[in-house]
Amino acid sequence: MTLELAFRAETEDDARAQAVAWGAAERHVAGLVVNAIRLVKGTMEQYVVTVTITLREQAQGRLGL
């Protein structure tokens, strides 16, 4: 199962922190694969972090999917 998630951040530092957190999650959650992380500067000085992840079977079972 592949999902694309998007998060808004007020500052570039917040956006980078979210990206780092997703990278760390991949190392700590069995079955979670982070395929891509994109950081895009949006309107009104906001940033959007888009994360594409794949949940392997063991992760899907833990989430009840």
Side-chain angles (χ1 to χ4, degrees):
M1 172 184 292
T2 300
L3 303 170
E4 184 172 280
L5 311 169
F7 303 92
R8 291 181 189 252
E10 295 295 321
T11 67
E12 185 174 359
D13 287 343
D14 289 344
R16 291 188 185 282
Q18 286 183 20
V20 168
W22 276 102
E26 181 178 38
R27 292 188 297 274
H28 296 290
V29 178
L32 171 66
V33 178
V34 177
N35 301 321
I37 300 173
R38 291 181 310 162
L39 183 130
V40 178
K41 185 173 183 179
T43 59
M44 299 171 56
E45 297 300 317
Q46 288 189 341
Y47 294 81
V48 177
V49 179
T50 303
V51 182
T52 304
I53 62 171
T54 298
L55 296 174
R56 294 191 176 139
E57 285 187 32
Q58 68 263 40
Q60 291 178 33
R62 289 184 186 150
L63 296 173
L65 300 175

